[in-house]
Amino acid sequence: RPSVGIVLYIIVMAVGMTIPAIWAAHGRALWIRVMLWASLGFLAVPALWAIDRGNVVGFAVPFMMIAVVAIARDKMLLAAIGIALAAAMKPQFGLAIIIFMILGRWIWLLIAGGIAALVQLIPFLLWPADFPGTIFQALRGMFAFGGQNTLSVPIPSSVSWAKGPYLLYEWFIAPFRGGGNSVERHQTLVAVIIVLALIAVLVITRNTTPPSVSLALLFLISALALPTAFTYYYIAVLPLAAIALRDPAEPRPSQDRTTVFRGVFELGERKSWAEFLWAAFLAVTLAASISRVFFPKTMGPEMPFLVYTTADFVTLMWTVAIPGYLITRMVVRRTRERALVTEDPSVV
């Protein structure tokens, strides 16, 4: 029966989206595990969006998590396979193979690219009719859909990387200038520029950023790379939230619950606000929800109300947070190293 198939599809996807939470909660008290399974898993708002739409992006989450943990433990083949399988769900996740370029692992970059290409090719070979024309049809469909002008549409609204500049233009420039929003007219170019800028920051800060953080951020960057990216693509933040709770480089969770983010801004014995800041960013993303409803006078009975969502502001937040965090981390780490050398030149 079709209904049984749909229910099983949703259940498997929900379990898959809970994998990062199960991994992060390992070794903790039962009540903490249950709380994490819900808040960081199937009850996270991006997960609920994916379940509501039945979008296949939810199946990419466990593969992203496998790749992030594998890259932290220097298991390059497993990381390459994880990225390829995530890209099989949504091709834009293939952008994450850039992690091998950032790490200077050029051979693995080629291997990962080959695996990803092969995985992408298999479905076309299973239905050989009109092959290879079907490849170009799929590409045209993806870019035609991804190039829709949806930044100004309330439902469904795009939350791609072009959303941040669009909102800034609406707030600070549009009131003084007419003629529409120029960001929306050039949203593809704006999204590409921001993606390239964020990748450049990852390259510049590669010596002070853990590989697992770089890869998790690459998944988030690639999820919102297309000009049209709906709110369920925030599901890509789940692996990042998981490694904020447990260090992926450790096979077993340590007793002090050390995370990859803890202590990154500490100098000497001074505690910092880094963990609180990242917890706030992740919480806002995982809990992005509807905010206010209004009844427009111009809308007909087929659409009696519009719903605004806090998700529109999440992309703007990450556009600032990613370079801000990585560059600050690099500066503080180098400042700390210079301070150590000044105190004890023998550390050199």
Side-chain angles (χ1 to χ4, degrees):
R1 296 175 56 184
S3 59
V4 175
I6 293 174
V7 170
L8 290 176
Y9 175 91
I10 295 298
I11 291 175
V12 172
M13 183 168 63
V15 172
M17 291 188 293
T18 311
I19 294 297
I22 294 173
W23 176 85
H26 179 68
R28 297 175 185 260
L30 179 60
W31 69 273
I32 296 180
R33 292 188 189 186
V34 174
M35 181 182 67
L36 288 177
W37 293 343
S39 61
L40 189 57
F42 58 90
L43 290 184
V45 174
L48 292 176
W49 278 325
I51 291 173
D52 175 70
R53 306 313 300 165
N55 195 278
V56 73
V57 69
F59 289 102
V61 173
F63 301 126
M64 289 190 286
M65 193 69 230
I66 289 171
V68 168
V69 174
I71 206 76
R73 300 178 185 179
D74 203 35
K75 297 179 179 179
M76 296 299 164
L77 179 59
L78 185 57
I81 293 173
I83 293 172
L85 292 176
M89 302 298 108
K90 289 291 181 178
Q92 54 264 49
F93 288 133
L95 186 66
I97 66 171
I98 291 176
I99 185 63
F100 298 107
M101 181 196 74
I102 293 174
L103 298 178
R105 310 294 285 268
W106 300 101
I107 297 298
W108 283 108
L109 176 65
L110 296 175
I111 293 174
I115 295 174
L118 179 62
V119 171
Q120 292 291 325
L121 190 61
I122 289 175
F124 295 100
L125 296 177
L126 293 177
W127 284 271
D130 298 325
F131 182 84
T134 47
I135 295 178
F136 300 103
Q137 291 174 8
L139 290 174
R140 284 196 300 269
M142 183 177 71
F143 286 107
F145 178 81
Q148 297 180 86
N149 293 323
T150 55
L151 292 177
S152 60
V153 179
I155 303 174
S157 177
S158 174
V159 292
S160 77
W161 290 115
K163 189 71 173 188
Y166 170 83
L167 291 175
L168 293 176
Y169 191 99
E170 284 290 298
W171 294 339
F172 301 110
I173 300 178
F176 307 101
R177 295 183 60 183
N181 193 312
S182 58
V183 174
E184 186 168 28
R185 290 196 297 268
H186 305 287
Q187 62 176 353
T188 300
L189 177 61
V190 172
V192 169
I193 291 173
I194 293 178
V195 167
L196 292 176
L198 293 175
I199 292 174
V201 172
L202 285 173
V203 173
I204 293 170
T205 60
R206 62 187 179 276
N207 293 328
T208 55
T209 305
S212 57
V213 177
S214 294
L215 181 55
L217 289 175
L218 277 172
F219 280 128
L220 179 59
I221 291 170
S222 60
L224 308 180
L226 291 179
T228 296
F230 296 127
T231 46
Y232 42 73
Y233 280 100
Y234 284 144
I235 203 75
V237 84
L238 291 181
L240 185 63
I243 63 174
L245 296 170
R246 176 182 169 188
D247 190 344
E250 296 182 358
R252 298 194 177 196
S254 59
Q255 294 300 315
D256 62 357
R257 306 301 184 207
T258 301
T259 72
V260 293
F261 295 122
R262 184 169 296 164
V264 294
F265 293 145
E266 292 179 8
L267 287 175
E269 297 299 321
R270 250 181 339 128
K271 297 296 180 183
S272 72
W273 40 268
E275 271 200 317
F276 170 79
L277 191 63
W278 273 95
F281 291 156
L282 293 167
V284 170
T285 306
L286 294 172
S289 60
I290 60 173
S291 56
R292 66 188 179 94
V293 177
F294 75 96
F295 296 88
K297 297 179 181 179
T298 57
M299 303 300 291
E302 70 278 1
M303 193 173 184
F305 64 87
L306 298 178
V307 180
Y308 278 120
T309 169
T310 56
D312 288 345
F313 306 101
V314 174
T315 302
L316 176 60
M317 178 191 73
W318 283 110
T319 306
V320 177
I322 292 175
Y325 164 73
L326 295 177
I327 293 173
T328 303
R329 178 189 176 98
M330 179 182 68
V331 171
V332 172
R333 283 293 180 91
R334 291 182 176 177
T335 302
R336 180 160 45 184
E337 290 171 0
R338 284 196 294 269
L340 290 174
V341 170
T342 302
E343 295 175 3
D344 185 6
S346 64
V347 299
V348 179

